[in-house]
Amino acid sequence: MFNKILIANRGEIACRVIESARKLGVQTVAVYSDADAGAKHVALADEAVHIGAPAPADSYLRGDAIINAARVTGAQAIHPGYGFLSENPDFVDAVEAAGLVFIGPSASAIRAMGLKDAAKKLMEEAGVPVVPGYHGANQDPEHLSGAADAIGYPVLIKAVAGGGGKGMRLVTKASEFADALASARGEAKTAFGNEAVLIEKYIEKPRHIELQVFGDGEDAVHLFERDCSLQRRHQKVIEEAPAPGMTTEMRNAMGEAAVRAAKAIGYKGAGTVEFIVDGSEGLRPDRFWFMEMNTRLQVEHPVTEAITNVDLVEWQLRVASGEALPAAQDQIKLTGHAFEARLYAEDVPAGFLPSTGTLSHLEFSPMARNDSGVRAGDTISPWYDPMIAKIITHGPTREIALARLARALDETRVAGSVTNLAFLGALTRHKGFAVGDVDTGLIARDIDGLTAQAGATPRQMALAALVATDLVGNRPAMSGFTLWDALNRTVMLDHAGERFDAVIRAHSADYCSVWAGETEVEAKRINGSWLLDGEPAPAFSRNGDTITVFADAGHIFHVIDPINQDAGAGAAGNVIEAPMPGLVKAVFVAEGDVVEAGQRLAILEAMKMEHTLTAGRDGTVAELLTSAGAQVEAGAALIRLADEDEGEEAA
Ligand code: ADP
Ligand code: ADP
Ligand code: MG
């Protein structure tokens, strides 16, 4: 075993690797960018080396700086985590050239799976079923459209260098093929610098089922499957293992195919073979096809750990340090069922817009394994993906594991940023999901119901008002309270963009009436705890003028300063700003254009996703301050609308 390893990553996966290394008595070295100097992974590691500025290209993607950090600290091996350099074969070559061990597959195995067309060819030769389609070299549009006709519509055009769902187009009829091809190529060229595509049969009622494999360079085993069908725009949201409805026959067929794939490239370490499955008539062994192989540890590996009781990072370290596979196939047992939900700082009503913020409160449920790269007080910065935690539950049956997930989500408390907690909670209550009737279209079909927001109840509004006026809270008990005894006090609050006044009438230090919304709520303090209409008040967290009431996945209230009322009216203001640093992908308006509230003005690509920027009000574009292709900072002014007066004068 190694004495010391370096982790070339950040966030939850860096923390996760450090934990297993520590368990094995291995020293750890973290690397960090300026944005992460105070991060959890830095605090957890035995040593930490600064490697550059916040942008990934200036730090976590700088192979040279990372290898140098390993040399300086005497680390013998580098664990790449996922993302960043984890699937970069040139980095593997450089690590090995420096006399260090890369904890992962060989550069040649990564290269073999790097392009989807070459990988499919290789898998076909190894006898692994691949999605029917054309993955040849002829990129002539006529030839490709002929191939699509032969396959039969609907078809999927995929960038061979693709990832993250980019450069992918669904085409349902021949007349739309040429346009779809041009746009897939354009996107692939910008994103990957490679415009080659392949054509695939589009599978109806598709399920994404992937096999966890593990190799030592010669032999390989699988650790069963994960179902990742719960996706939003090709991004996984909730994963589980085993797959609902899986039969022994299907599992054996998929497991054998995955092991064949791993052995065909002499795979070493942890990897995932992704299959697309036609679930229209249940799971059948002749209805699954290879999609691609991810040559790294996967985000959702904890569900596999939960059902097999294997520590996959421990296995990675053991195999990388020269040990043989820690277990034979028949020693790997499946127990119970597990789920993982990805908790993100994102604004679901605003279209799943990634969010930032300092987490003034962060509390997890003891019901779950919570893998997190942040602690209370840490900041979700705009530089990296906005994951807060992965929440993993296990149980003897799917039903119990899912009930535990629902409970764990319910007990998770985050303040300081909006989150997707309510959306995850709604998924755990989805009827189709509950019975295991999953496919990759489930979320899109029911998106309205899944993102419907619970309104705040009068009790929750009343609590926010009491906290806002310091009647309830942890400040010195009710200072000055008697001064306004028998007085009415009004406080203005905002909840989900809607303002309301709450009127508090104090009868004593322990008893008041609060008019909030349309109802009166009676608040009484008994033995130090507040009761609202006779029921215990929910927990809350206050940070400045923001109050989070921990009910229904968290209701956020803002105290409105009556003197400064319009300060926050940015949405309806003149300037459209970049909500985070990113790349301007497209601008849809020109100076002088008349726009309507809600109209799409531009697309910003940031934090791995595309964000549509819309007009906050009707108006006229006075100035275009950016253009497609520009890299912009958070808060940069992109588009200015004419002043409302200017507009009126012009009209
Ligand atoms: P997986 O396919 O492993 O379940 P995802 O689909 O969420 O995970 O992510 C695919 C890859 O993109 C992973 O390697 C992940 O680390 C990487 N990734 C996620 N967010 C970012 C980011 N902000 N910057 C760079 N890479 C990212
Ligand atoms: P990426 O490299 O972008 O992850 P994948 O080939 O892994 O691309 O596909 C991503 C997702 O797209 C899958 O999880 C699945 O939801 C969908 N998908 C891919 N291929 C097909 C197909 N042939 N039929 C239906 N859906 C597909
Ligand atoms: Mg994929």
Side-chain angles (χ1 to χ4, degrees):
M1 184 49 65
F2 309 111
N3 298 320
K4 194 191 266 191
I5 64 167
L6 178 143
I7 298 112
N9 215 300
R10 62 176 305 284
E12 68 85 16
I13 193 61
C15 298
R16 161 79 192 86
V17 174
I18 291 169
E19 254 175 48
S20 284
R22 175 153 302 154
K23 197 177 78 180
L24 298 172
V26 176
Q27 300 263 315
T28 53
V29 182
V31 291
Y32 64 96
S33 71
D34 290 330
D36 281 338
K40 182 178 169 187
H41 76 280
V42 173
L44 278 185
D46 297 305
E47 288 167 77
V49 181
H50 173 249
I51 50 165
D58 299 328
S59 48
Y60 298 107
L61 290 172
R62 281 187 60 202
D64 55 341
I66 290 168
I67 290 169
N68 201 41
R71 274 218 197 91
V72 170
T73 55
Q76 299 145 310
I78 297 184
H79 192 301
Y82 53 70
F84 297 126
L85 293 168
S86 62
E87 293 180 276
N88 182 327
D90 297 338
F91 178 64
V92 179
D93 284 337
V95 168
E96 288 171 355
L100 302 167
V101 175
F102 179 77
I103 303 174
S106 66
S108 70
I110 297 177
R111 284 197 181 98
M113 290 296 177
L115 293 178
K116 291 187 202 293
D117 55 346
K120 283 182 79 173
K121 224 166 279 163
L122 190 71
M123 289 300 100
E124 233 171 10
E125 285 160 19
V128 176
V130 303
V131 188
Y134 176 75
H135 44 265
N138 191 339
Q139 293 289 312
D140 175 54
E142 297 267 298
H143 182 82
L144 292 173
S145 108
D149 292 337
I151 296 161
Y153 286 89
V155 300
L156 206 53
I157 302 175
K158 274 189 195 178
V160 302
K166 284 220 178 73
M168 205 148 91
R169 292 289 182 280
L170 171 63
V171 195
T172 51
K173 45 179 181 292
S175 60
E176 289 163 3
F177 187 85
D179 284 351
L181 177 65
S183 98
R185 275 189 170 160
E187 194 170 291
K189 182 135 203 214
T190 337
F192 315 110
N194 178 347
E195 62 173 8
V197 297
L198 56 83
I199 314 290
E200 255 176 26
K201 176 78 192 152
Y202 183 75
I203 307 301
E204 309 279 356
K205 197 157 191 221
R207 285 177 62 176
H208 174 121
I209 300 180
E210 56 183 38
L211 265 281
Q212 174 70 54
V213 293
F214 210 101
D216 63 4
E218 281 163 30
D219 203 5
V221 292
H222 72 81
L223 292 95
F224 311 111
E225 77 280 1
R226 293 183 288 257
D227 192 312
C228 310
S229 298
L230 242 50
Q231 303 182 350
R232 185 184 157 269
R233 301 206 179 152
H234 309 301
Q235 310 253 7
K236 299 161 184 171
V237 179
I238 292 184
E239 303 99 341
E240 62 180 302
M246 182 55 85
T247 61
T248 308
E249 192 191 10
M250 175 87 166
R251 177 174 294 133
N252 288 343
M254 292 186 84
E256 275 162 27
V259 167
R260 230 172 10 248
K263 284 188 180 162
I265 53 169
Y267 198 77
K268 188 169 177 179
T272 296
V273 183
E274 294 190 334
F275 294 101
I276 191 89
V277 174
D278 174 351
S280 59
E281 293 176 273
L283 296 181
R284 295 174 36 170
D286 59 344
R287 301 259 175 105
F288 74 90
W289 301 275
F290 171 86
M291 261 194 311
E292 65 168 347
M293 179 165 184
N294 294 323
T295 49
R296 55 174 158 88
L297 190 67
Q298 200 99 339
V299 174
E300 58 275 21
H301 75 276
V303 292
T304 298
E305 296 186 322
I307 59 157
T308 57
N309 222 2
V310 165
D311 178 338
L312 285 167
V313 176
E314 176 188 329
W315 278 30
Q316 286 187 303
L317 298 190
R318 289 173 58 179
V319 166
S321 69
E323 289 183 34
L325 277 175
Q329 190 67 61
D330 61 6
Q331 292 173 308
I332 304 167
K333 300 272 185 265
L334 192 165
T335 317
H337 204 102
F339 285 94
E340 171 185 283
R342 299 185 183 197
L343 176 63
Y344 286 107
E346 62 187 12
D347 191 343
V348 171
F352 293 83
L353 189 73
S355 189
T356 55
T358 296
L359 304 177
S360 50
H361 188 103
L362 181 64
E363 198 182 325
F364 294 114
S365 165
M367 178 80 54
R369 162 177 166 183
N370 304 285
D371 282 17
S372 177
V374 286
R375 304 152 296 188
D378 285 348
T379 298
I380 303 287
S381 81
W383 295 104
Y384 314 108
D385 87 273
M387 182 187 277
I388 297 172
K390 305 187 304 200
I391 295 169
I392 304 112
T393 58
H394 181 251
T397 64
R398 185 174 190 272
E399 198 183 355
I400 294 171
L402 185 57
R404 286 184 177 160
L405 180 65
R407 172 85 178 269
L409 291 170
D410 213 39
E411 292 175 355
T412 301
R413 294 171 173 178
V414 188
S417 167
V418 291
T419 73
N420 64 342
L421 198 51
F423 172 63
L424 296 173
L427 277 168
T428 63
R429 293 184 296 270
H430 185 277
K431 296 231 158 51
F433 181 45
V435 297
D437 185 14
V438 293
D439 70 275
T440 61
L442 182 146
I443 289 179
R445 274 194 305 274
D446 293 336
I447 193 73
D448 292 342
L450 291 168
T451 55
Q453 279 187 293
T457 64
R459 286 178 63 240
Q460 293 157 358
M461 294 159 89
L463 177 64
L466 290 166
V467 174
T469 49
D470 280 336
L471 277 164
V472 170
N474 25 23
R475 305 206 181 184
M478 314 295 129
S479 49
F481 179 79
T482 48
L483 291 179
W484 18 290
D485 197 4
L487 287 182
N488 286 348
R489 194 160 160 190
T490 304
V491 58
M492 191 191 282
L493 291 161
D494 166 292
H495 176 263
E498 292 196 18
R499 289 177 182 192
F500 66 94
D501 284 325
V503 182
I504 300 169
R505 195 150 51 89
H507 310 295
S508 80
D510 296 315
Y511 177 32
C512 21
S513 310
V514 187
W515 269 100
E518 310 291 297
T519 346
E520 192 175 37
V521 175
E522 198 168 71
K524 272 194 183 144
R525 182 159 54 175
I526 294 174
N527 296 332
S529 308
W530 283 92
L531 299 181
L532 301 176
D533 281 344
E535 297 209 18
F540 64 90
S541 160
R542 176 175 191 167
N543 190 32
D545 283 337
T546 303
I547 296 161
T548 307
V549 173
F550 296 121
D552 307 331
H555 283 287
I556 301 172
F557 296 88
H558 297 284
V559 184
I560 309 291
D561 177 351
I563 300 171
N564 213 351
Q565 259 208 61
D566 290 320
N574 288 344
V575 178
I576 288 87
E577 296 178 348
M580 60 200 64
L583 174 75
V584 178
K585 293 276 294 207
V587 179
F588 304 112
V589 288
E591 284 176 14
D593 281 3
V594 175
V595 297
E596 285 174 16
Q599 186 176 329
R600 197 165 72 131
L601 303 180
I603 290 183
L604 183 71
E605 185 186 77
M607 293 167 120
K608 221 184 131 195
M609 289 168 70
E610 290 188 350
H611 313 290
T612 304
L613 304 179
T614 56
R617 61 167 168 85
D618 295 351
T620 306
V621 177
E623 262 186 294
L624 208 56
L625 304 161
T626 191
S627 56
Q631 188 73 40
V632 296
E633 294 297 321
L638 304 181
I639 293 167
R640 192 176 69 79
L641 300 184
D643 284 342
E644 308 218 43
D645 315 348
E646 258 178 73
E648 271 160 38
E649 271 161 38

